[in-house]
Amino acid sequence: MDLQPLSSTEYIILEEIMCQQFLVVLICLFMASHGHSLRRRCRNRREIRYCMSVRVPKIISHLHCIINNNDSICIDKLRMDRNAFHTLVILTKDIGGLTDSKSMSSSEKLAMFLNILAHHEKNRSIKVDYIRSGWSVSQAFNECLSAILKLTPLLLVDPKPVLEDEVEDRWKWFKGCLGALDDTYIQIRVPSQYKPRYRTRKGEIATNVLGVCDRNLNFTYVLPGWEGSAADGHVLRDAVTRRNGLKIHEGNYYLCDGGYTNGKGFLSPYRGYRYWLKDWRGDNPLPQCKEELFNMRHARARNVIEMTFGLLKGRWGILRSSSWYSVKVHNRIISACCLIHNFIRREMEVDPLDIDMKEQMEYQHENIDVVESSQEWTTWRDELAQSMWNARSNN
């Protein structure tokens, strides 16, 4: 049978039929693809819900074991007992602004933060222990660090001077003394081009931290951030001249070692004479002159800052070795560690770390804002040393 050519009208009709069939095919393919995507999303949601339903009880159980079971575990992990921890949680929430997130409580955030400071745990270790993502751990750490630093006015101690009726042998000679100060080195990691500035006399890459403490081993002022190569006097001068720096009322002073200038507000020992406590131990002779006697008693009193630094580094493992945090963040961590150190000593009746390190007022006057040698203070030191020597001779 011969095929007849299509007319123009028939051709148009056929073309419309084919277009409609093509659209139907496209719609069917789209619906099939969309249905598959919906089924896959529903399956993923079921898997997520299943994973969270398994994780949440484990998270709660792990946190409960640390902060609620007994004090020994809490102290080992977080460096404070349960009562102190829950008090710190309240302070960070009410004053520091720490908040509960959708899937993480403030207690868990603070527990992770303290765990990192105490044991220098890495992010990947914490996320396994607490069953969290690395991002959640990092976010919680930064939130807690900011919250702790907001507690600075509350946790830094206001020093009280030694009074005239002081009877403790270590301090009775130093009327008006507020405590002691010294610097310490804390290792950090810095870019290669900055290493010469942070290199200490011993060749370590570290930051020079000025610490000031009272007689009870509490920090009254902390200045981190100076390069390891900076001189002690330069760091102290910066601390005194800052707007919110170290303030010393007229008539008060801090004990410092021979690396600092003896002068208004700072009492240093005699140079050229025995000073360190080990110089009088064992078979070494007792002080032979007023300068050595003064140095010995000065060293006994100033030893509180050495003990304070020892407690600080013994408590927080993150300060005993360099970390991967930036210099700015690491300096903030140092300040936070000092603040929590004060908090622990205030809230805990017995500090386990303090057991091994035991013994071996406020005036409204003009503040001292310069660091320079003073003949007046040198004369006063000589008179104090002579009075010590006379009292020893009479006894």
Side-chain angles (χ1 to χ4, degrees), residues 279-292:
D279 294 335
W280 290 281
R281 291 175 181 167
D283 298 330
N284 295 329
L286 293 174
Q288 302 298 305
C289 60
K290 67 175 185 179
E291 289 82 6
E292 287 191 352

Side-chain angles (χ1 to χ4, degrees), residues 104-341:
M104 189 183 301
S105 66
S106 299
S107 298
E108 185 179 358
K109 292 179 180 180
L110 193 59
M112 288 192 295
F113 175 75
L114 295 174
N115 205 337
I116 293 173
L117 297 185
H119 304 282
H120 197 184
E121 293 277 6
K122 301 297 186 292
N123 186 298
R124 57 180 175 270
S125 299
I126 293 295
K127 74 177 185 179
V128 172
D129 294 340
Y130 288 81
I131 320 177
R132 294 292 184 180
S133 67
W135 183 89
S136 298
V137 174
S138 178
Q139 188 74 8
F141 181 89
N142 291 322
E143 290 179 11
C144 290
L145 181 59
S146 298
I148 292 295
L149 293 178
K150 291 179 182 178
L151 303 179
T152 299
L154 179 66
L155 297 182
L156 275 185
V157 175
D158 186 21
K160 300 296 187 293
V162 177
L163 302 178
E164 292 291 335
D165 57 352
E166 180 63 46
V167 296
E168 186 180 355
D169 184 62
R170 175 186 291 190
W171 294 101
K172 67 181 182 181
W173 296 101
F174 302 101
K175 312 301 182 184
C177 180
L178 298 173
L181 62 86
D182 200 0
D183 69 309
T184 187
Y185 293 110
I186 295 179
Q187 296 182 19
I188 58 174
R189 283 189 172 91
V190 297
S192 300
Q193 63 268 29
Y194 299 135
K195 285 186 177 180
R197 294 165 50 187
Y198 284 87
R199 195 177 304 279
T200 67
R201 295 185 297 270
K202 297 182 179 180
E204 299 176 341
I205 306 301
T207 179
N208 192 343
V209 180
L210 175 68
V212 185
C213 74
D214 65 2
R215 293 182 290 162
N216 298 317
L217 311 183
N218 294 306
F219 284 101
T220 62
Y221 181 79
V222 180
L223 177 61
W226 272 93
E227 299 89 341
S229 60
D232 296 348
H234 195 174
V235 178
L236 180 57
R237 187 173 295 106
D238 176 53
V240 172
T241 55
R242 284 174 176 246
R243 187 180 64 177
N244 296 320
L246 178 62
K247 302 302 180 186
I248 309 174
H249 298 298
E250 197 72 40
N252 299 137
Y253 58 93
Y254 284 102
L255 303 179
C256 55
D257 64 16
Y260 300 94
T261 301
N262 178 69
K264 197 174 182 181
F266 305 98
L267 184 61
S268 64
Y270 287 97
R271 296 190 182 187
Y273 296 88
R274 289 185 294 169
Y275 177 69
W276 304 108
L277 293 177
K278 64 181 180 181
D279 294 335
W280 290 281
R281 291 175 181 167
D283 298 330
N284 295 329
L286 293 174
Q288 302 298 305
C289 60
K290 67 175 185 179
E291 289 82 6
E292 287 191 352
L293 179 62
F294 175 87
N295 281 5
M296 183 184 71
R297 290 177 173 170
H298 185 284
R300 285 183 59 198
R302 198 197 65 86
N303 195 44
V304 293
I305 186 62
E306 305 292 348
M307 296 172 64
T308 304
F309 280 140
L311 283 174
L312 182 72
K313 294 184 179 180
R315 196 187 310 278
W316 308 117
I318 199 169
L319 302 182
R320 297 196 295 268
S321 59
S322 57
S323 69
W324 292 102
Y325 294 102
S326 66
V327 175
K328 181 178 179 180
V329 174
H330 202 96
N331 291 333
R332 288 161 58 87
I333 291 173
I334 295 171
S335 298
C337 289
C338 295
L339 294 175
I340 305 174
H341 165 89

Side-chain angles (χ1 to χ4, degrees), residues 62-100:
H62 178 75
L63 188 63
H64 178 79
C65 178
I66 294 176
I67 66 176
N68 291 323
N69 269 6
N70 60 70
D71 283 336
S72 62
I73 295 178
C74 193
I75 292 174
D76 178 63
K77 289 289 187 181
L78 311 181
R79 296 296 188 254
M80 63 184 71
D81 59 25
R82 292 171 294 175
N83 181 64
F85 174 77
H86 291 295
T87 302
L88 185 59
V89 171
I90 295 173
L91 288 178
T92 52
K93 293 177 69 174
D94 294 346
I95 302 176
L98 187 65
T99 58
D100 298 330

